[in-house]
Amino acid sequence: MSYPALAARTAVVTGAASGIGTATARALAANGARVALIARRTERLDALAADITAAGGQALAVTADITDQASVDAAAKAVHDAYGRVDLVVNNAGVMLPNPLADGRIDEWTRMIDTNLTGALRVIRAFTADLTATAADGRTADLVNVSSIASHVLFPDYAVYGATKAAVTQLSAALRTELGPRDVRVSAVEPGLTDTELGDHVDNPALSEQLGGMFSAIPALSAEDIADLVAYTVSRPRHVNLRQSVVLPTRQA
Ligand SMILES: NC(=O)c1ccc[n+]([C@@H]2O[C@H](COP(=O)([O-])OP(=O)(O)OC[C@H]3O[C@@H](n4cnc5c(N)ncnc54)[C@H](OP(=O)(O)O)[C@@H]3O)[C@@H](O)[C@H]2O)c1
């Protein structure tokens, strides 16, 4: 879809190395936004930036680990040095590591909380001043947090992932009370089953198989479906906040 309102926006997309982040970066750039691409895999980001540039868009690859404060600080500096103020932040980077709670996988819990929640907060911290300054100038400013249907629907063995996503949805709602009055839109996008690399890090064979079974049983959403929703959300007139969107495959109950 075409969203002319996105021309002249300056965006940051985290988790741009694959899946929803890659598709969102492409969608924003195709509509004229400059896009800073953040993730850990430099070669993926470089390839995406080259693709976007070859298609006539503007993109900047910025390697960063959002669980590391110094890395996020350096990324924010690189973005500001290249592009100046950012007016659109898509907080999308995330990991999903299911296992029975009784297995006590503190390593996975820590990684999910540090990435999905604290990492998102680090990114918010890095760019909120840009968003409020943009809005104060009368221009559109957006913070989009990619949450999940797992913030509402409970899945056995996904307790900690679900808790991090419920926190992202709650954080988005709470932030609206602080940033809405300053004309910064905050949106939570909550996808269901989407075909990406998210399941590749599951280390429990039974749960991997279960996830594979869901993909066999239900035609999943594509990363491009979610990217289109993000692009639609941030291209509304600035007084319209599409604040919480649940987007599921039609066959997902
Ligand atoms: N796929 C689904 O069914 C689904 C459903 C609901 C919600 N979501 C959410 O959608 C978001 C995007 O996931 P996806 O489905 O597109 O999966 P994905 O393909 O695995 O993408 C996750 C992205 O996050 C990046 N990332 C992970 N840890 C990071 C870190 N410490 N620092 C910086 N970047 C990091 C990864 O890049 P690097 O590895 O290069 O860092 C990757 O680009 C996630 O928040 C996920 O929870 C997905």
Side-chain angles (χ1 to χ4, degrees):
M1 296 285 287
S2 174
Y3 302 105
L6 294 180
R9 301 286 301 266
T10 300
V12 167
V13 178
T14 70
S18 56
I20 293 168
T22 293
T24 299
R26 284 189 197 281
L28 298 178
N31 282 284
R34 299 189 295 184
V35 187
L37 315 167
I38 292 183
R40 294 166 302 179
R41 286 171 290 177
T42 305
E43 60 297 345
R44 290 283 194 102
L45 300 181
D46 285 344
L48 177 60
D51 264 14
I52 288 173
T53 307
Q58 294 182 74
L60 175 74
V62 183
T63 305
D65 180 342
I66 64 164
T67 67
D68 177 338
Q69 185 58 46
S71 183
V72 174
D73 289 344
K77 182 174 182 324
V79 173
H80 288 137
D81 287 351
Y83 284 166
R85 192 193 281 168
V86 164
D87 57 55
L88 166 51
V89 175
V90 183
N91 232 336
N92 163 76
V95 286
M96 180 184 78
L97 309 167
N99 260 313
L101 203 78
D103 285 6
R105 292 291 299 271
I106 291 180
D107 59 328
E108 294 188 333
W109 305 346
T110 305
R111 212 173 128 205
M112 286 189 280
I113 293 166
D114 283 357
T115 309
N116 302 359
L117 180 56
T118 314
L121 280 165
R122 291 184 202 287
V123 173
I124 290 167
R125 178 179 181 269
F127 296 109
T128 293
D130 287 14
L131 298 178
T132 53
T134 298
D137 283 350
R139 296 193 294 115
T140 307
D142 282 289
L143 169 63
V144 179
N145 295 321
V146 179
S147 179
S148 169
I149 185 62
S151 62
H152 307 288
V153 176
L154 307 177
F155 300 100
D157 306 325
Y158 286 75
V160 179
Y161 177 72
T164 64
K165 290 300 179 178
V168 169
T169 289
Q170 177 71 8
L171 176 68
S172 306
L175 276 179
R176 275 193 287 275
T177 69
E178 294 187 38
L179 298 180
R182 302 176 73 179
D183 292 318
V184 175
R185 287 192 294 219
V186 182
S187 306
V189 172
E190 303 175 333
L193 198 68
T194 307
D195 190 11
T196 68
E197 297 177 9
L198 194 69
D200 293 1
H201 314 291
V202 178
D203 76 355
N204 178 319
L207 292 175
S208 235
E209 198 178 318
Q210 182 193 58
L211 197 58
M214 283 177 75
F215 278 100
S216 305
I218 298 169
L221 298 171
S222 67
E224 289 71 23
D225 292 325
I226 312 301
D228 185 57
L229 175 59
V230 173
Y232 178 82
T233 299
V234 299
S235 59
R236 298 308 87 208
R238 78 189 283 260
H239 67 287
V240 179
N241 186 356
L242 189 49
R243 52 193 251 168
Q244 193 164 341
S245 305
V246 181
V247 53
L248 266 61
T250 304
R251 286 187 175 229
Q252 185 174 1

